[in-house]
Amino acid sequence: MNTVQIPPRASHTIAVVGTGPRGIAVLERLAVRLRDAPAGRGPVTIYAIDAAEVGAGRIWRTDQDHWFAMNTVIGQVTMFSGGPDGGRPRPGAGPSLGQWLHDHAPDEVRSASGHGPDDFASRLDYGRYLRFVYRTITDELPAHVRLIPVHGRVNSVRPDRSGRYQLTMDSLRTLAADKVVLATGHPHNSPDTFDRAMAAFAAYRPDAHYISGDSAADMDLAGTVPPGSTVAIRGLGLSFYDVLMSLTEGRGGRFVRDDDGPLRYAPGGREPHIVAGSRSGLPIPARGRNQKAPHHIHQAPFLTPRAVAEARERRQQATGSDRLDFAEDLLPLALQEIEHVYYTRHVHIRHGAEAAERFAAQHAKELLAGEDGLLAVKQAGVEDVAPLDLWNLARPFTGEHFADPDAWRRRLTGVMRHDLEEASLGTVDGPLKAALDTLRDLRGIIRASVDYGGLTPRSYATAFRGSYVPVNALLSAGPPMARIEQLLALMDAGVVEVAGPATEFGRDEETGRFTVRSPQVDGSRKYADVLIDARIPTPDLPRDTSLLTRQLLAEGLIREFVNEDPVTGETFATGGLDIARGSFRAIDANGRLHPGLYALGVPTEHVRWFTQIGNGRPGLETDFVKVADAVAAELLPPPGVEPVREAMGRAPAVPVPASAR
């Protein structure tokens, strides 16, 4: 057990619970603010607390295997709030992940990693980079500041009579802090109905195993998936590829390419047979070959802050509330952005840069005038180009039926190979991937429009969260192209098969095995010894099994964010941890803002959107950095002012203004 130094009582104390990317970002901005603050502050103590690895966190910890990959190119990833300035790396001025791999990483890491800004790194290497950032923070803190690493799990946080927070650790140690930041990352949820049924089925059958959703690095795949067994995998997203690599490359298999031929898989001999499936039946498509500079961002002509403000005014006048309807107010503008990029690129390919520039101006003019833009498309000679349909791209097999698994396999691999061809054209030159990459750049304006109950409850639950969010994730957050090539090689080798669209997972009492089938593919039924849910759990506060979350909820110190329409009274319980806009202070069960408890990142998903992103972007003031800085600004008292000692339990209720929600 590590010994925790107890700071002197006069020290202003901050506890950051969770030191993955969000926690590190807060520490980095804290270090900058502490360094640049005028003289007069008293001593400050910061606890950096993590149950997995201080300075990297659970998902990015540095003891995981090398085959778990990131899905963002290294040139677009940074944890420093400013770029290098010619001096030593330090908070506010440090290298991107790509620059670190090239210039600062240990020799063995540099020799094994791609150095180009458009290469991808392993999660292991990103964890090493996070540790590097953490070390620069510890090395650069002013003399009056101490950062104390604490390896352990926080099981409870309670305000005491002095106004401080008492943190109880799993070792029964207790720490006191004036300010506490919850940056706890991806949750473990209590089982849902499907989980309970599958786990109960496996519990009484020694040869059957069910593994619920989690990071693949935390799954017991070695102990539960024997060589030669059949394993069913639920989900074909990013985590699917992590599980796939663990069961193939992780078992001695190799991917080889003979001369200029296709990639092929050389088995290691200890692989299982893998049967995978999902609702769409489509493995998440590849990210396009990156052609964009790290600081590049799409300049939106249609989905703009002004357009959103005008939509709110219209809603206010029509309904008495400025809550938006995603399908009517935001989605059409987002689709215009994507369509505009798509057709402009097609014009460029056919007629050159000048024609593309003329088309873009005319097409934008028509759309902004309320027209459909088809006249510009026709005049540019690209009316024969198939329209871009996001939902068809995400669900390409809807309504199709296949006579046998071979017919299905030919159809699927055809779609996958075509996607690889499109991805190889790039995120600028390729019309499809250029358009889809725009989805990433639209996240900021969409987030600002939907956060904190910006949509009506019904629209948020159905049109946004139920429809747009999964399609956006499938089409804009894919893996490197190499992963699709590897999956095709594994399918060619007979190691992997995809069951089909609308995959159904079940169990068979007679055989004592799990079942996998697609109702759209005749003869697709397969039996499996192991069933793995390869989906990262969705944040859901009431289902979070963390002792800390359960304690905070049970004692009313935090609450779930409920989206409520002030006019109709309609509500939707989101599953997110309720926080105040701007300050990121947690809100308790009575609607009061905590004086010193903050939350950011994954636990606040559904209050804010797309919080799982774990890095900043060089040259851009991203939301990731803005949130970290806003929290850091809240953590320290003004010079010469003692920390607030008002006990929250005895404090009068502080109403939450509309602007904070």
Side-chain angles (χ1 to χ4, degrees):
M1 175 175 27
N2 59 323
T3 301
V4 178
Q5 298 170 275
I6 305 299
R9 182 63 185 87
S11 175
H12 178 73
T13 305
I14 301 160
V16 177
V17 183
T19 63
R22 292 283 182 174
I24 293 294
V26 171
L27 291 174
E28 195 262 0
R29 288 308 304 163
L30 257 178
V32 173
R33 286 182 169 273
L34 286 164
R35 181 193 64 208
D36 297 343
R41 295 188 187 273
V44 175
T45 298
I46 305 169
Y47 292 119
I49 307 170
D50 204 285
E53 180 178 359
V54 176
R58 178 170 77 97
I59 301 299
W60 308 100
R61 66 181 189 271
T62 59
D63 64 351
Q64 62 187 297
D65 294 303
H66 65 84
W67 52 76
F68 299 125
M70 299 184 72
N71 70 321
T72 303
V73 296
I74 59 178
Q76 293 183 356
V77 174
T78 188
M79 280 297 301
F80 288 96
S81 52
D85 61 359
R88 65 188 181 284
R90 63 196 186 282
S96 68
L97 172 60
Q99 292 165 332
W100 176 79
L101 283 168
H102 189 274
D103 298 328
H104 301 280
D107 291 341
E108 65 273 14
V109 175
R110 279 187 282 172
S111 63
S113 303
H115 296 162
D118 300 324
D119 291 322
F120 293 85
S122 68
R123 291 215 300 263
L124 167 61
D125 281 345
Y126 189 48
R128 290 165 168 162
Y129 172 67
L130 289 173
R131 290 284 301 171
F132 166 79
V133 178
Y134 176 75
R135 285 194 297 273
T136 69
I137 294 168
T138 61
D139 291 346
E140 296 290 333
L141 288 173
H144 68 287
V145 180
R146 291 189 301 163
L147 193 154
I148 302 173
V150 180
H151 181 236
R153 189 179 305 279
V154 176
N155 288 338
S156 68
V157 173
R158 294 183 175 93
D160 63 19
R161 288 185 172 276
S162 72
R164 297 187 112 196
Y165 292 87
Q166 299 294 323
L167 290 73
T168 303
M169 308 291 296
D170 49 6
S171 60
L172 301 183
R173 292 170 294 175
T174 299
L175 307 176
D178 298 287
K179 306 276 188 175
V180 179
V181 179
L182 303 179
T184 48
H186 290 285
H188 289 103
N189 289 340
S190 60
D192 61 14
T193 302
F194 180 86
D195 289 325
R196 289 193 296 271
M198 297 301 109
F201 178 77
Y204 299 101
R205 293 167 176 82
D207 295 328
H209 300 280
Y210 174 65
I211 302 175
S212 58
D214 196 3
S215 167
D218 289 315
M219 292 179 175
D220 180 18
L221 299 177
T224 56
V225 184
S229 62
T230 298
V231 56
I233 301 180
R234 185 187 190 198
L236 294 170
L238 291 173
S239 294
F240 160 70
Y241 288 98
D242 291 338
V243 174
L244 195 64
M245 291 301 105
S246 296
L247 297 176
T248 54
E249 185 179 6
R251 296 199 171 189
R254 294 180 300 113
F255 293 96
V256 296
R257 195 186 304 275
D258 300 321
D259 299 324
D260 293 327
L263 193 71
R264 64 181 180 86
Y265 181 69
R270 296 186 293 115
E271 299 89 348
H273 179 68
I274 298 167
V275 184
S278 68
R279 286 178 298 174
S280 70
L282 178 68
I284 184 170
R287 290 280 295 274
R289 177 174 59 87
N290 184 61
Q291 297 176 300
K292 295 179 178 179
H295 60 274
H296 172 87
I297 191 165
H298 170 73
Q299 299 299 319
F302 313 111
L303 185 54
T304 63
R306 179 178 177 180
V308 174
E310 290 173 350
R312 290 206 185 279
E313 280 187 31
R314 291 193 298 270
R315 286 288 167 189
Q316 182 71 49
Q317 293 173 4
T319 69
S321 168
D322 68 353
R323 301 288 181 95
L324 298 176
D325 182 296
F326 185 79
E328 295 181 8
D329 298 322
L330 299 177
L331 181 59
L333 299 176
L335 295 179
Q336 285 181 349
E337 299 289 352
I338 297 160
E339 175 187 286
H340 185 65
V341 172
Y342 178 68
Y343 280 117
T344 300
R345 189 58 218 161
H346 272 293
V347 174
H348 189 283
I349 291 172
R350 292 190 182 185
H351 305 298
E354 290 186 7
E357 187 175 343
R358 290 194 300 271
F359 166 79
Q362 181 62 29
H363 190 245
K365 181 179 179 181
E366 291 180 15
L367 292 178
L368 289 169
E371 302 170 15
D372 58 17
L374 293 181
L375 178 60
V377 170
K378 184 176 181 179
Q379 290 177 342
V382 290
E383 69 272 19
D384 60 320
V385 171
L388 188 59
D389 185 330
L390 295 185
W391 277 260
N392 184 59
L393 287 170
R395 304 284 186 268
F397 313 115
T398 300
E400 296 186 40
H401 195 88
F402 303 92
D404 54 52
D406 285 341
W408 155 245
R409 184 178 181 279
R410 288 192 296 272
R411 173 77 167 102
L412 173 62
T413 55
V415 170
M416 293 170 63
R417 294 186 195 283
H418 177 70
D419 179 70
L420 270 180
E421 292 173 2
E422 293 285 352
S424 68
L425 297 177
T427 57
V428 172
D429 294 339
L432 178 62
K433 295 300 180 177
L436 296 180
D437 203 59
T438 303
L439 290 168
R440 299 177 65 217
D441 293 335
L442 295 178
R443 288 174 190 160
I445 183 66
I446 291 178
R447 179 188 294 117
S449 304
V450 307
D451 284 356
Y452 302 100
L455 303 177
T456 67
R458 184 186 302 274
S459 179
Y460 178 84
T462 56
F464 181 66
R465 182 165 159 179
S467 180
Y468 178 79
V469 168
V471 168
N472 174 81
L474 186 72
L475 298 179
S476 71
M481 289 187 293
R483 283 290 188 252
I484 310 300
E485 287 189 282
Q486 290 167 339
L487 176 55
L488 285 166
L490 288 166
M491 294 170 71
D492 289 342
V495 176
V496 175
E497 58 182 303
V498 177
T503 311
E504 298 171 350
F505 296 88
R507 67 269 196 211
D508 182 75
E509 297 289 346
E510 185 176 340
T511 63
R513 304 178 79 193
F514 297 102
T515 60
V516 189
R517 69 176 289 270
S518 167
Q520 293 177 227
V521 182
D522 292 344
S524 62
R525 186 181 180 91
K526 295 290 188 297
Y527 295 90
D529 310 290
V530 182
L531 173 58
I532 300 172
D533 190 339
R535 302 172 304 165
I536 294 293
T538 300
D540 189 351
L541 200 67
R543 292 181 56 212
D544 192 330
T545 61
S546 157
L547 291 178
L548 173 58
T549 300
R550 290 187 169 186
Q551 173 261 322
L552 290 169
L553 267 178
E555 297 177 15
L557 297 172
I558 60 173
R559 70 179 183 184
E560 179 181 10
F561 173 58
V562 177
N563 185 344
E564 181 175 359
D565 191 311
V567 175
T568 66
E570 183 180 44
T571 63
F572 176 71
T574 66
L577 193 161
D578 202 0
I579 53 172
R581 185 193 297 270
S583 71
F584 301 92
R585 291 187 182 187
I587 300 173
D588 76 1
N590 295 315
R592 299 179 302 183
L593 275 68
H594 276 267
L597 181 64
Y598 304 81
L600 74 165
V602 175
T604 66
E605 183 71 24
H606 313 313
V607 183
R608 308 190 74 242
W609 177 55
F610 216 82
T611 57
Q612 64 268 36
I613 191 167
N615 58 270
R617 210 164 151 185
L620 295 175
E621 190 181 9
T622 61
D623 182 79
F624 179 84
V625 174
K626 290 177 183 177
V627 170
D629 188 58
V631 173
E634 287 266 332
L635 294 180
L636 297 178
V641 177
E642 286 297 312
V644 175
R645 297 296 178 219
E646 184 177 45
M648 186 172 178
R650 295 182 288 112
V654 179
V656 182
S659 61
R661 296 297 313 281

